[in-house]
Tab-separated table of all heavy atoms in Angstrom:
chain	number	residue	atom	x	y	z
A	697	SER	N	-22.199	-35.784	34.213
A	697	SER	CA	-20.822	-36.417	34.371
A	697	SER	C	-19.965	-35.616	35.408
A	697	SER	O	-19.086	-36.327	35.995
A	697	SER	CB	-20.145	-36.410	32.978
A	697	SER	OG	-20.734	-37.225	32.161
A	700	LEU	N	-20.949	-37.064	38.713
A	700	LEU	CA	-20.473	-38.458	38.786
A	700	LEU	C	-18.901	-38.395	39.196
A	700	LEU	O	-18.502	-39.205	40.018
A	700	LEU	CB	-20.661	-39.246	37.623
A	700	LEU	CG	-22.157	-39.606	37.283
A	700	LEU	CD1	-22.171	-40.139	35.894
A	700	LEU	CD2	-22.716	-40.588	38.307
A	719	LEU	N	-26.317	-42.530	37.284
A	719	LEU	CA	-25.973	-43.277	36.005
A	719	LEU	C	-27.438	-43.979	35.450
A	719	LEU	O	-27.716	-43.686	34.186
A	719	LEU	CB	-24.893	-44.312	36.089
A	719	LEU	CG	-24.609	-45.163	34.855
A	719	LEU	CD1	-24.165	-44.070	33.681
A	719	LEU	CD2	-23.540	-46.105	34.942
A	720	HIS	N	-28.118	-44.572	36.349
A	720	HIS	CA	-29.338	-45.217	35.976
A	720	HIS	C	-30.296	-44.160	35.534
A	720	HIS	O	-31.149	-44.398	34.568
A	720	HIS	CB	-29.966	-46.038	37.039
A	720	HIS	CG	-29.099	-47.250	37.386
A	720	HIS	ND1	-28.423	-47.930	36.508
A	720	HIS	CD2	-28.783	-47.903	38.574
A	720	HIS	CE1	-27.817	-48.996	37.074
A	720	HIS	NE2	-28.006	-48.913	38.410
A	722	MET	N	-29.585	-41.189	34.202
A	722	MET	CA	-29.203	-40.872	32.706
A	722	MET	C	-29.653	-41.800	31.711
A	722	MET	O	-30.114	-41.420	30.674
A	722	MET	CB	-27.551	-40.639	32.771
A	722	MET	CG	-26.976	-39.529	33.586
A	722	MET	SD	-25.300	-39.487	33.383
A	722	MET	CE	-25.023	-38.808	31.714
A	723	GLU	N	-29.391	-43.079	32.010
A	723	GLU	CA	-29.752	-44.077	31.022
A	723	GLU	C	-31.377	-44.120	30.733
A	723	GLU	O	-31.795	-44.226	29.710
A	723	GLU	CB	-29.443	-45.408	31.451
A	723	GLU	CG	-27.830	-45.606	31.579
A	723	GLU	CD	-27.487	-46.987	32.178
A	723	GLU	OE1	-28.157	-47.428	33.119
A	723	GLU	OE2	-26.423	-47.492	31.801
A	726	TYR	N	-32.086	-40.978	28.634
A	726	TYR	CA	-31.690	-41.191	27.371
A	726	TYR	C	-32.474	-42.160	26.590
A	726	TYR	O	-32.915	-41.963	25.444
A	726	TYR	CB	-30.185	-41.614	27.279
A	726	TYR	CG	-29.693	-42.066	25.995
A	726	TYR	CD1	-29.483	-41.057	25.068
A	726	TYR	CD2	-29.323	-43.309	25.738
A	726	TYR	CE1	-29.042	-41.390	23.777
A	726	TYR	CE2	-28.906	-43.748	24.387
A	726	TYR	CZ	-28.758	-42.781	23.475
A	726	TYR	OH	-28.359	-43.212	22.215
A	734	LYS	N	-27.182	-38.493	27.196
A	734	LYS	CA	-26.647	-39.716	26.840
A	734	LYS	C	-25.366	-39.969	27.632
A	734	LYS	O	-24.364	-39.300	27.676
A	734	LYS	CB	-26.317	-39.865	25.313
A	734	LYS	CG	-25.576	-41.261	24.982
A	734	LYS	CD	-25.255	-41.141	23.593
A	734	LYS	CE	-24.588	-42.503	23.162
A	734	LYS	NZ	-24.160	-42.398	21.739
A	735	PRO	N	-25.327	-41.096	28.496
A	735	PRO	CA	-24.048	-41.427	29.201
A	735	PRO	C	-22.892	-41.542	28.264
A	735	PRO	O	-22.975	-42.188	27.230
A	735	PRO	CB	-24.390	-42.636	30.048
A	735	PRO	CG	-25.860	-42.628	29.973
A	735	PRO	CD	-26.291	-42.138	28.771
A	736	ASN	N	-21.770	-40.999	28.603
A	736	ASN	CA	-20.461	-41.131	27.797
A	736	ASN	C	-19.464	-41.999	28.532
A	736	ASN	O	-19.673	-42.489	29.648
A	736	ASN	CB	-19.925	-39.828	27.428
A	736	ASN	CG	-19.562	-38.918	28.581
A	736	ASN	OD1	-19.402	-39.410	29.639
A	736	ASN	ND2	-19.504	-37.622	28.285
A	737	THR	N	-18.424	-42.098	27.916
A	737	THR	CA	-17.318	-43.119	28.428
A	737	THR	C	-16.924	-42.455	29.916
A	737	THR	O	-16.696	-43.296	30.793
A	737	THR	CB	-16.090	-42.992	27.600
A	737	THR	OG1	-16.535	-43.409	26.313
A	737	THR	CG2	-15.035	-44.060	28.180
A	738	GLN	N	-16.867	-41.203	30.021
A	738	GLN	CA	-16.419	-40.663	31.280
A	738	GLN	C	-17.456	-40.936	32.460
A	738	GLN	O	-17.272	-41.170	33.628
A	738	GLN	CB	-16.303	-39.185	31.208
A	738	GLN	CG	-15.850	-38.397	32.528
A	738	GLN	CD	-15.928	-36.828	32.377
A	738	GLN	OE1	-15.852	-36.381	31.346
A	738	GLN	NE2	-16.051	-36.180	33.645
A	739	SER	N	-18.823	-40.914	32.065
A	739	SER	CA	-19.931	-41.141	32.992
A	739	SER	C	-19.723	-42.638	33.540
A	739	SER	O	-19.730	-42.847	34.735
A	739	SER	CB	-21.219	-41.189	32.199
A	739	SER	OG	-21.403	-39.929	31.463
A	740	TYR	N	-19.486	-43.531	32.657
A	740	TYR	CA	-19.338	-44.992	33.097
A	740	TYR	C	-18.087	-45.160	33.787
A	740	TYR	O	-18.070	-45.914	34.940
A	740	TYR	CB	-19.336	-45.913	31.821
A	740	TYR	CG	-20.738	-46.183	31.189
A	740	TYR	CD1	-21.112	-45.429	30.000
A	740	TYR	CD2	-21.644	-46.841	31.908
A	740	TYR	CE1	-22.379	-45.672	29.513
A	740	TYR	CE2	-22.973	-47.055	31.387
A	740	TYR	CZ	-23.189	-46.447	30.069
A	740	TYR	OH	-24.514	-46.587	29.469
A	741	ARG	N	-16.892	-44.513	33.446
A	741	ARG	CA	-15.687	-44.622	34.087
A	741	ARG	C	-15.780	-44.019	35.522
A	741	ARG	O	-15.333	-44.667	36.457
A	741	ARG	CB	-14.663	-43.913	33.369
A	741	ARG	CG	-13.185	-44.090	33.886
A	741	ARG	CD	-12.144	-43.198	33.248
A	741	ARG	NE	-12.281	-41.863	33.529
A	741	ARG	CZ	-12.155	-40.870	32.624
A	741	ARG	NH1	-12.104	-41.044	31.414
A	741	ARG	NH2	-12.255	-39.592	33.091
A	742	SER	N	-16.512	-42.965	35.622
A	742	SER	CA	-16.653	-42.373	37.006
A	742	SER	C	-17.380	-43.332	37.972
A	742	SER	O	-17.057	-43.452	39.234
A	742	SER	CB	-17.435	-41.066	36.967
A	742	SER	OG	-16.711	-40.164	36.241
A	743	VAL	N	-18.483	-44.064	37.584
A	743	VAL	CA	-19.198	-44.981	38.371
A	743	VAL	C	-18.237	-46.062	38.724
A	743	VAL	O	-18.332	-46.597	39.885
A	743	VAL	CB	-20.473	-45.352	37.678
A	743	VAL	CG1	-21.141	-46.368	38.444
A	743	VAL	CG2	-21.357	-44.228	37.386
A	744	ILE	N	-17.517	-46.649	37.754
A	744	ILE	CA	-16.545	-47.628	38.030
A	744	ILE	C	-15.533	-47.324	39.075
A	744	ILE	O	-15.213	-48.048	39.997
A	744	ILE	CB	-15.858	-48.184	36.658
A	744	ILE	CG1	-16.847	-48.890	35.849
A	744	ILE	CG2	-14.670	-49.100	36.869
A	744	ILE	CD1	-16.233	-49.118	34.322
A	745	THR	N	-15.045	-46.097	38.867
A	745	THR	CA	-14.075	-45.658	39.968
A	745	THR	C	-14.648	-45.426	41.279
A	745	THR	O	-14.029	-45.990	42.466
A	745	THR	CB	-13.528	-44.259	39.446
A	745	THR	OG1	-12.930	-44.372	38.203
A	745	THR	CG2	-12.513	-43.809	40.567
A	746	ALA	N	-15.937	-44.974	41.303
A	746	ALA	CA	-16.634	-44.923	42.546
A	746	ALA	C	-16.922	-46.199	43.226
A	746	ALA	O	-16.715	-46.406	44.556
A	746	ALA	CB	-17.959	-44.166	42.423
A	747	LEU	N	-17.191	-47.201	42.487
A	747	LEU	CA	-17.396	-48.620	42.983
A	747	LEU	C	-16.108	-49.091	43.548
A	747	LEU	O	-16.071	-49.689	44.488
A	747	LEU	CB	-17.932	-49.399	41.912
A	747	LEU	CG	-19.402	-49.344	41.634
A	747	LEU	CD1	-19.726	-50.062	40.214
A	747	LEU	CD2	-20.270	-49.835	42.693
A	759	ALA	N	-18.250	-53.320	38.924
A	759	ALA	CA	-17.491	-52.584	37.891
A	759	ALA	C	-17.338	-53.275	36.596
A	759	ALA	O	-17.395	-52.757	35.541
A	759	ALA	CB	-16.152	-52.097	38.649
A	762	ILE	N	-20.367	-53.256	34.329
A	762	ILE	CA	-20.503	-51.963	33.678
A	762	ILE	C	-19.635	-51.932	32.438
A	762	ILE	O	-20.020	-51.555	31.397
A	762	ILE	CB	-20.198	-50.811	34.615
A	762	ILE	CG1	-21.224	-50.611	35.695
A	762	ILE	CG2	-20.155	-49.526	33.875
A	762	ILE	CD1	-20.919	-49.614	36.680
A	763	LEU	N	-18.398	-52.492	32.533
A	763	LEU	CA	-17.498	-52.588	31.510
A	763	LEU	C	-18.167	-53.506	30.404
A	763	LEU	O	-18.156	-53.126	29.233
A	763	LEU	CB	-16.167	-53.273	31.954
A	763	LEU	CG	-15.180	-53.703	30.837
A	763	LEU	CD1	-14.662	-52.377	30.192
A	763	LEU	CD2	-14.073	-54.500	31.481
A	765	GLU	N	-21.346	-54.067	29.926
A	765	GLU	CA	-22.494	-53.335	29.400
A	765	GLU	C	-21.903	-52.300	28.437
A	765	GLU	O	-22.560	-52.241	27.230
A	765	GLU	CB	-23.102	-52.549	30.494
A	765	GLU	CG	-24.421	-51.836	29.989
A	765	GLU	CD	-25.033	-50.954	31.186
A	765	GLU	OE1	-24.653	-51.202	32.334
A	765	GLU	OE2	-25.908	-50.084	30.819
A	766	MET	N	-20.910	-51.655	28.506
A	766	MET	CA	-20.336	-50.764	27.598
A	766	MET	C	-19.947	-51.506	26.241
A	766	MET	O	-20.156	-50.997	25.139
A	766	MET	CB	-19.249	-50.115	28.202
A	766	MET	CG	-19.399	-49.047	29.324
A	766	MET	SD	-17.940	-48.332	30.003
A	766	MET	CE	-17.384	-47.323	28.648
A	769	ILE	N	-23.141	-52.402	24.367
A	769	ILE	CA	-23.870	-51.190	23.780
A	769	ILE	C	-22.877	-50.770	22.517
A	769	ILE	O	-23.595	-50.475	21.487
A	769	ILE	CB	-23.919	-50.061	24.720
A	769	ILE	CG1	-24.855	-50.392	25.925
A	769	ILE	CG2	-24.415	-48.789	24.070
A	769	ILE	CD1	-24.839	-49.415	27.038
A	777	LEU	N	-19.147	-45.562	22.897
A	777	LEU	CA	-19.160	-46.030	24.291
A	777	LEU	C	-18.165	-47.252	24.354
A	777	LEU	O	-18.245	-47.859	25.408
A	777	LEU	CB	-20.625	-46.459	24.653
A	777	LEU	CG	-21.508	-45.094	25.016
A	777	LEU	CD1	-22.882	-45.667	25.358
A	777	LEU	CD2	-20.852	-44.304	26.053
A	783	VAL	N	-10.796	-47.023	31.103
A	783	VAL	CA	-12.010	-47.776	31.652
A	783	VAL	C	-11.482	-49.218	32.165
A	783	VAL	O	-11.732	-49.490	33.285
A	783	VAL	CB	-13.100	-47.893	30.501
A	783	VAL	CG1	-14.177	-48.760	31.215
A	783	VAL	CG2	-13.663	-46.573	30.263
A	786	ALA	N	-9.547	-48.723	35.449
A	786	ALA	CA	-10.429	-48.496	36.409
A	786	ALA	C	-11.040	-49.757	36.994
A	786	ALA	O	-11.190	-49.920	38.220
A	786	ALA	CB	-11.505	-47.458	36.109
A	787	VAL	N	-11.376	-50.686	36.220
A	787	VAL	CA	-11.986	-51.948	36.644
A	787	VAL	C	-10.778	-52.810	37.336
A	787	VAL	O	-11.044	-53.419	38.391
A	787	VAL	CB	-12.556	-52.751	35.454
A	787	VAL	CG1	-13.093	-54.104	35.994
A	787	VAL	CG2	-13.639	-51.919	34.841
Side-chain angles (χ1 to χ4, degrees):
S697 293
L700 288 173
L719 179 61
H720 293 325
M722 290 179 74
E723 290 174 329
Y726 173 66
K734 178 184 177 182
N736 57 22
T737 304
Q738 180 186 340
S739 312
Y740 287 104
R741 185 184 75 222
S742 293
V743 177
I744 289 170
T745 301
L747 284 167
I762 294 174
L763 170 67
E765 180 184 347
M766 292 177 71
I769 295 172
L777 286 180
V783 174
V787 178

